[in-house]
Amino acid sequence: MKPIICAGGFLVKKNKFLFGKRSKKKIWAAGMWDIVGGKSLKNENPLHTLNREVQEETGVNVLDAELMTTMNIYDEKDGGFFTYHIYMITQWQNKPVNLTKEHTELRWFTRDEIGKLNIALPEYVPLIDKWITNSKTGLHPGE
């Protein structure tokens, strides 16, 4: 079975990161805090997926996003893998608002607060830590 391609991102502002609380009706990670994103359309580039999904879910236009990692995740409920491209979104237009029923709310969290949340993927925490460390040294992924 071919993996499903997905893209998502952290909006970052003043050392806070935007998360959405997934609806309890969602199949994967129901009721958990997650980054904004979703599945790619057929033949869609992951960065385009990120831009489209962030726009649809929050009304935000992504201006700058850096790829943090790509990982394969097994979805027990769907019985297959998805390839997840995760970005750090550092520049955007418009104030994020919850535009869909995919999330019950959007909220900004500090790194310490994120460590106490019920998050969709534990891998988010080391990605945020890496971002914070690299931001202090002036380095960013891909440099």
Side-chain angles (χ1 to χ4, degrees):
M1 179 187 242
K2 187 176 178 180
I4 296 168
I5 306 299
C6 300
F10 299 96
L11 274 78
V12 58
K13 165 180 90 168
K14 297 180 183 175
N15 293 319
K16 289 191 173 186
F17 302 85
L18 186 72
F19 277 76
K21 188 167 189 179
R22 293 177 62 85
S23 165
K24 292 191 179 195
K25 295 179 181 178
K26 298 297 285 181
I27 294 172
W28 183 79
M32 300 176 93
W33 290 96
D34 198 11
I35 58 179
V36 179
K39 295 177 183 175
S40 292
L41 301 175
K42 187 175 181 179
N43 298 322
E44 185 177 42
N45 174 293
L47 188 55
H48 290 134
T49 300
L50 177 73
N51 290 325
R52 179 181 51 76
E53 288 285 341
V54 170
Q55 171 66 39
E56 288 174 3
E57 294 179 18
T58 68
V60 164
N61 295 318
V62 175
L63 300 177
D64 188 35
E66 297 180 37
L67 182 64
M68 292 292 292
T69 193
T70 300
M71 61 179 71
N72 290 316
I73 299 171
Y74 183 70
D75 183 354
E76 294 174 7
K77 295 187 177 170
D78 206 17
F81 284 91
F82 61 96
T83 301
Y84 199 12
H85 302 270
I86 301 175
Y87 294 84
M88 193 64 68
I89 303 166
T90 56
Q91 293 181 14
W92 65 87
Q93 290 178 318
N94 303 328
K95 181 180 177 181
V97 293
N98 190 14
L99 297 176
T100 69
K101 294 184 179 180
E102 292 187 37
H103 301 104
T104 57
E105 65 179 298
L106 298 177
R107 195 181 314 166
W108 295 96
F109 294 100
T110 64
R111 162 57 183 91
D112 289 342
E113 292 169 331
I114 292 165
K116 298 171 187 168
L117 294 177
N118 185 15
I119 58 175
L121 290 173
E123 291 88 350
Y124 292 156
V125 173
L127 288 174
I128 289 170
D129 289 343
K130 179 180 175 183
W131 176 260
I132 291 169
T133 298
N134 289 344
S135 293
K136 289 178 183 173
T137 62
L139 299 174
H140 295 280
E143 292 185 339

